[in-house]
Amino acid sequence: MKPVEGRKRVIIEDIEPQVNCGRYPSKRILGDSVSVTAAIFADGHDHVAGRLLFRHEKDRATPSTAIVPLTNDLWSAAFVVDKPGMWHYTLEAWIDHFGTWHADLKKRLAAQENAATDSDSTSQDIPLALRTGAVLLGEAAARAKGADAKLLAKTQATVEQMADQRTNPDGDEFDRLIEIVNRYPDLNFATRYDQKLPLWVDRERARFSTWYELFPRSASTDPSRHGTFADVEALVPEIAAMGFDVLYLPPIHPIGEAFRKGPNNNVVASPGDPGSPWAIGSKDGGHTAIHQQLGTSADFEHLVSIARAHDMELALDIAFQCSPDHPWVTEHPDWFVKRPDGSIQYAENPPKKYQDIYPLNFESPDWRALWQALHDVFDYWIRQGVQIFRVDNPHTKALPFWEWCISEIHKKDPGVIFLAEAFTRPHVMYSLAKAGFTQSYTYFTWRNTGAELQQYFEEITKPPITNFFRPNLWPNTPDILHATLQNGGRAGFMQRVILAATLGANYGIYGPAFELGENRPAKHGSEEYLNSEKYEIRRWDRSANHSLAPLISRLNQIRRENPALQSDGSLHFHPVDNPHILCYSKRSADNLLLVAINLDPVQEQAGWIDLDLKHLGIGHGQSFDVEDLLTGIHYHWHGRSNYVALRPEVLPAHVFRVTPESGGDATKLTAVPAQAETTE
Amino acid sequence: MKPVEGRKRVIIEDIEPQVNCGRYPSKRILGDSVSVTAAIFADGHDHVAGRLLFRHEKDRATPSTAIVPLTNDLWSAAFVVDKPGMWHYTLEAWIDHFGTWHADLKKRLAAQENAATDSDSTSQDIPLALRTGAVLLGEAAARAKGADAKLLAKTQATVEQMADQRTNPDGDEFDRLIEIVNRYPDLNFATRYDQKLPLWVDRERARFSTWYELFPRSASTDPSRHGTFADVEALVPEIAAMGFDVLYLPPIHPIGEAFRKGPNNNVVASPGDPGSPWAIGSKDGGHTAIHQQLGTSADFEHLVSIARAHDMELALDIAFQCSPDHPWVTEHPDWFVKRPDGSIQYAENPPKKYQDIYPLNFESPDWRALWQALHDVFDYWIRQGVQIFRVDNPHTKALPFWEWCISEIHKKDPGVIFLAEAFTRPHVMYSLAKAGFTQSYTYFTWRNTGAELQQYFEEITKPPITNFFRPNLWPNTPDILHATLQNGGRAGFMQRVILAATLGANYGIYGPAFELGENRPAKHGSEEYLNSEKYEIRRWDRSANHSLAPLISRLNQIRRENPALQSDGSLHFHPVDNPHILCYSKRSADNLLLVAINLDPVQEQAGWIDLDLKHLGIGHGQSFDVEDLLTGIHYHWHGRSNYVALRPEVLPAHVFRVTPESGGDATKLTAVPAQAETTE
């Protein structure tokens, strides 16, 4: 069957960015210039022209911008996303008959100039070509508006006159008209790409955030008393001063009594054991209630406001699972799996049993009500002032639920940030991000050698992954005390936090366990903490001399002062002749940072870095100053090979800011085009 | 808005093969086993299962086959395409509750066996698990049919009995049931991929063909007489004996008189000059007429039958352009571009003019009738017995036209082969293949060094390109006499035909110019032939001593006897320490060929080949026989490093058949899984 219009000769394909053929939105940040590329071409030798159309879903207008050719039939255009929320974009292109005519005219004029003899047949060429151009101008004038229409009509008359008078135009005379004519294409023959590709725009914190996790119940300065929101409030100035901007609390809901776990995950709890905050729900309520020992709803709102006063946001941990005492267990037994004996199925990973946890059943016949209730949990806390959620084990809840739930929340409030705490297989990790999670935990914890780190970060900081996935790096969590921390001593902690803070624009620590160097595992070979705060209240001496707080504060200050560290797309690795040393750079406009880190927690390591000067925008003969922002010491470097020696027990890394030296013929770094996915 | 069914927990994505997100069909060959892979996964730890569904468009039934896991959430299944034409395939997957239950049961049994004490709580585990399994078996039995239903119901009863009697099953007892249960999934919760992906299946000649192009008008043995179809008939036995299976003729239609070109593209023709066959149409007719000097329609049909009797097919050149004398010019002036002076626009590439050619206007308001008329040209010749068309300059006709036209032809006759003669930018070349062209001319002619050849062939013989593009290699054409042939002497001709015949399962030559070594360019720096047959009749001495016909015959015989050379997907390059030597292998099941070719047309070149033994399926300690199929000489090789020395004036290449030697512990080559896109 023939198409409705067979004269749409232009083909548009391979549009980037797109995620799964447009099935999921790409992601960008408010203020980003979104660069869109595509292969656009037609049969024959005619020129093509086209435009990128883009629209925020709540806007009426669909602005457009002309595409410009790159190379090899690739075209590009960009638009700035000046509102958070859902955008769509697509491309439209057509044969540029006027541009084709104009290029041919120039060739005809040049040929006539070069011709030895002005044969009779050739002498007809230019006037005839001018008449053809006049027709095209007349058609464009009819489609055009205002001053453009007048200009085109006037030019049409001029060109007809030239043809009558056999006057030759100047070849470049019509150059600027091409763009004007293409503002008014004959869209009957234009090809519109058959999809409007979705693009989700988050606020800036989605790209750059620094998280501090603590257990409120351990926040009391009085060892005999359960910590409260008020105790956390008292810590806010200190944590803010360390440079964190997200204060993240494990679940704050009533904790179940049934099968409550004792210290160190003991299956029997003693009276007075506080239980795990992830065993959610009791007679006092479920996911929208507050554990009474922490405070009231008013106390919580006050904590939110105090955090905000210190330029921090409060993030809540949302764990969609229930203790046997959760109100939903009796109110909605259909939301759980029932066993043949009529009991409710607790969490299991045979032979392990988690009898204090009932998973929700996403195959429930009452799934619609279940989805709504879970959605309403987020909604409730948003109304309490929370805009950031860390979601516990999202990979054990149905992916279609997340896609619906996050999209519903985002319709009302596009500023809400969801961090996916999923440590599972790559496809599932990425699928959660595609389903809408703003940021994601990563395998960073288990990437320890230089080769492992480079391979992994080259994957997760470049397209196509960066179109939908934003890493958030954690050296530790209440669930994960990696062997590098157990065995690496103070150097190990320094290494991991420097890596996290400089490899990832988003990172966080679980404190004060981290800065105080807590490194005792539950048992040999385990990644669980001994005396984990998950099961008991801990008292921390935040003012201990050995605290890494000063280093962390300095790192966070460097992050705030250096835009290069506030996005990930520019990450680039530089070879070092010692595999224990990892070297990488990040840049943003003229802010260029270079990190060299010794990954050996014991031995001093030294080596020669082979800097990719071209990538850094440094000339081969250029000298440059590198200032270690951790120590304030300046070094004078020159050329690609530069030597570093790093003693892990002192400071395992240089975090250099690179500045070209004045003199010579280079006074500033060569500008390198910023990647589309980063904001400058 | 919530989905209609929120319990479809499985995600299916990244299905391969697919071309432009399913916009265009992938291509395969009759008899191929089409391997389909996809990422398939769900939330949590439940097992998944699924099936590949596939259907020929003319069949009612949609058979399916179970998918099997590869690694990292990738799954695969295959189906054999036993009919040419359009197929569609898609995937469906669901949570395998029975398989999940079964795996958990095994863990429970193992845990119980290892348990030091059989605590009361644990002792309940197995019976309860058995009852859960019984429920699943009962549900599956209700969905199942025939013997399967009986078996499942019977097993359900057994399992219930075991639970009653507290008997433990054997862990492996239900292994084979998993597959049976998954034959009857609850499709209410199954995810069906949202597209039926198209797959076009061609007959075998689309994959493996050997073309010989000649000008019928030069086929006369009597120099005073214009060649005829009967003269071509007389050559058929000789060309068939050389091993060609496609005899391809330049346009056979009446040649225009207006602006007829003389010898060497002279703008003035003398009386008696035959003109270019590509200036199509005269008072005697257009694209469905035959140039009278060649013979009648009956003569043509006879030639078709004679070719067929020699296992050859006749291919026609279809050039959609008109001489000013073509009947369409007066019958359908709307199909051409009219200039402002009322004249019809001839072909131009300013300042070059081709006044003997009127291009068709694909922006004609009468495009529907134009499309139909062009389609009907193919249709006419198909009714004359032609099943292969070489299409001249398809890239100067609208791409949507080709997509429609080829699809229309293929609906009636899926065996028709279209070869795209497009030498243009990569996106346009590939887009023609996506639009339906069966085979495509390539840049082979302009890829001459080893590095150029390797880079280009690694692109065009691997997915994603092989999903839609099939190269057809031509060392020469009537339009292209490359400098390698102009300057390379006899060695140059040998090199290029050996490369074409062994790098490409589809290749062709324009003869007898090729085998007779015609190498004189129209002028220095030109790729046109001097005294090109395009403009004059040539007389060739096919029996000349210097003819390369014996070498070409031998190459074609090797191609027929060695399935390895009959497809391209297995092509693999092996490093050589001399850049003048290129080494590559192809294999099909246990047929393994290895080519080493000296690309220097003058000097002997020698070097060490570093064979990729693992790819070849040869053990490191294994000896193997290599027989040069061009000379019959055997060599005894061992290990990865092997020496060759090639004298271009004698024979610039070895075409080895590799056979492992008996003895040792390896008596045959290790089977390497064939690529999906090749037929064994």
Side-chain angles (χ1 to χ4, degrees), chain B residues 589-668:
Chain B
D590 61 353
N591 180 232
L592 173 58
L593 261 65
L594 183 77
V595 176
I597 181 164
N598 173 6
L599 300 173
D600 181 337
V602 179
Q603 301 291 328
E604 172 171 344
Q605 297 287 346
W608 289 90
I609 300 169
D610 183 12
L611 287 178
D612 183 345
L613 293 179
K614 191 178 165 193
H615 181 88
L616 297 177
I618 298 175
H620 269 279
Q622 200 175 351
S623 293
F624 47 102
D625 174 78
V626 298
E627 176 192 0
D628 188 338
L629 298 174
L630 292 173
T631 61
I633 299 173
H634 288 256
Y635 302 83
H636 179 81
W637 280 13
H638 185 92
R640 54 190 281 185
S641 281
N642 291 283
Y643 183 80
V644 291
L646 293 156
R647 292 172 57 192
E649 77 281 13
V650 181
L651 201 51
H654 292 301
V655 178
F656 290 128
R657 180 160 52 205
V658 182
T659 320
E661 293 185 354
S662 55
D665 54 357
T667 53
K668 64 192 289 283

Side-chain angles (χ1 to χ4, degrees), chain B residues 115-411:
Chain B
T117 58
D118 188 356
S119 81
D120 199 50
S121 103
T122 309
S123 70
Q124 294 292 339
D125 275 7
I126 308 286
L128 208 46
L130 288 172
R131 290 196 200 284
T132 301
V135 172
L136 294 172
L137 285 163
E139 289 167 0
R143 290 190 301 265
K145 286 174 188 156
D148 288 340
K150 278 184 197 156
L151 175 65
L152 294 171
K154 193 180 147 207
T155 313
Q156 178 193 7
T158 309
V159 169
E160 273 167 1
Q161 203 176 25
M162 284 175 162
D164 291 343
Q165 298 173 353
R166 302 188 146 256
T167 320
N168 281 3
D170 179 286
D172 305 324
E173 202 160 315
F174 310 114
D175 279 3
R176 72 193 188 90
L177 289 185
I178 295 174
E179 189 251 321
I180 296 171
V181 169
N182 278 313
R183 270 184 226 157
Y184 309 98
D186 180 357
L187 290 179
N188 289 318
F189 297 177
T191 299
R192 173 82 72 106
Y193 190 68
D194 61 2
Q195 276 184 301
K196 287 175 189 161
L197 293 165
L199 179 87
W200 177 258
V201 175
D202 285 297
R203 63 188 171 109
E204 194 188 4
R205 186 142 290 161
R207 170 173 53 73
F208 174 51
S209 61
T210 313
W211 296 48
Y212 191 86
E213 174 177 8
L214 62 74
F215 281 78
R217 67 189 185 187
S218 302
S220 164
T221 47
D222 172 358
S224 68
R225 194 169 53 71
H226 188 284
T228 65
F229 292 141
D231 293 319
V232 177
E233 270 184 29
L235 293 174
V236 163
E238 179 182 334
I239 296 166
M242 283 170 75
F244 291 97
D245 50 31
V246 179
L247 175 61
Y248 147 43
L249 310 183
I252 59 172
H253 316 303
I255 295 170
E257 302 276 350
F259 297 99
R260 179 177 282 193
K261 297 290 174 68
N264 290 305
N265 203 16
N266 199 314
V267 290
V268 185
S270 309
D273 281 343
S276 162
W278 284 272
I280 293 169
S282 77
K283 61 177 175 9
D284 296 327
H287 284 78
T288 53
I290 291 175
H291 185 68
Q292 287 178 357
Q293 288 176 289
L294 291 173
T296 65
S297 188
D299 295 339
F300 178 77
E301 285 188 54
H302 195 262
L303 170 59
V304 169
S305 68
I306 290 294
R308 200 171 291 145
H310 286 82
D311 291 329
M312 293 183 77
E313 287 188 66
L314 203 74
L316 279 196
D317 190 331
I318 300 295
F320 283 140
Q321 56 191 20
C322 298
S323 97
D325 305 320
H326 195 292
W328 287 348
V329 176
T330 45
E331 291 166 13
H332 299 283
D334 274 359
W335 293 357
F336 304 88
V337 173
K338 195 174 281 179
R339 302 204 293 179
D341 64 355
S343 64
I344 289 180
Q345 176 68 62
Y346 47 80
E348 269 193 301
N349 184 13
K352 286 191 193 166
K353 300 177 180 194
Y354 308 91
Q355 283 140 318
D356 57 334
I357 301 290
Y358 287 174
L360 292 158
N361 177 17
F362 283 83
E363 291 187 0
S364 166
D366 196 29
W367 63 272
R368 284 185 190 81
L370 171 63
W371 283 24
Q372 194 62 48
L374 301 181
H375 164 276
D376 291 350
V377 169
F378 289 112
D379 202 53
Y380 175 85
W381 292 109
I382 290 168
R383 280 184 278 115
Q384 304 300 310
V386 178
Q387 289 276 301
I388 306 185
F389 298 97
R390 178 269 199 193
V391 177
D392 188 78
N393 279 339
H395 59 293
T396 59
K397 285 87 195 173
L399 287 156
F401 161 71
W402 290 120
E403 188 173 15
W404 168 81
C405 179
I406 295 175
S407 144
E408 284 292 301
I409 299 287
H410 273 165
K411 270 181 206 156

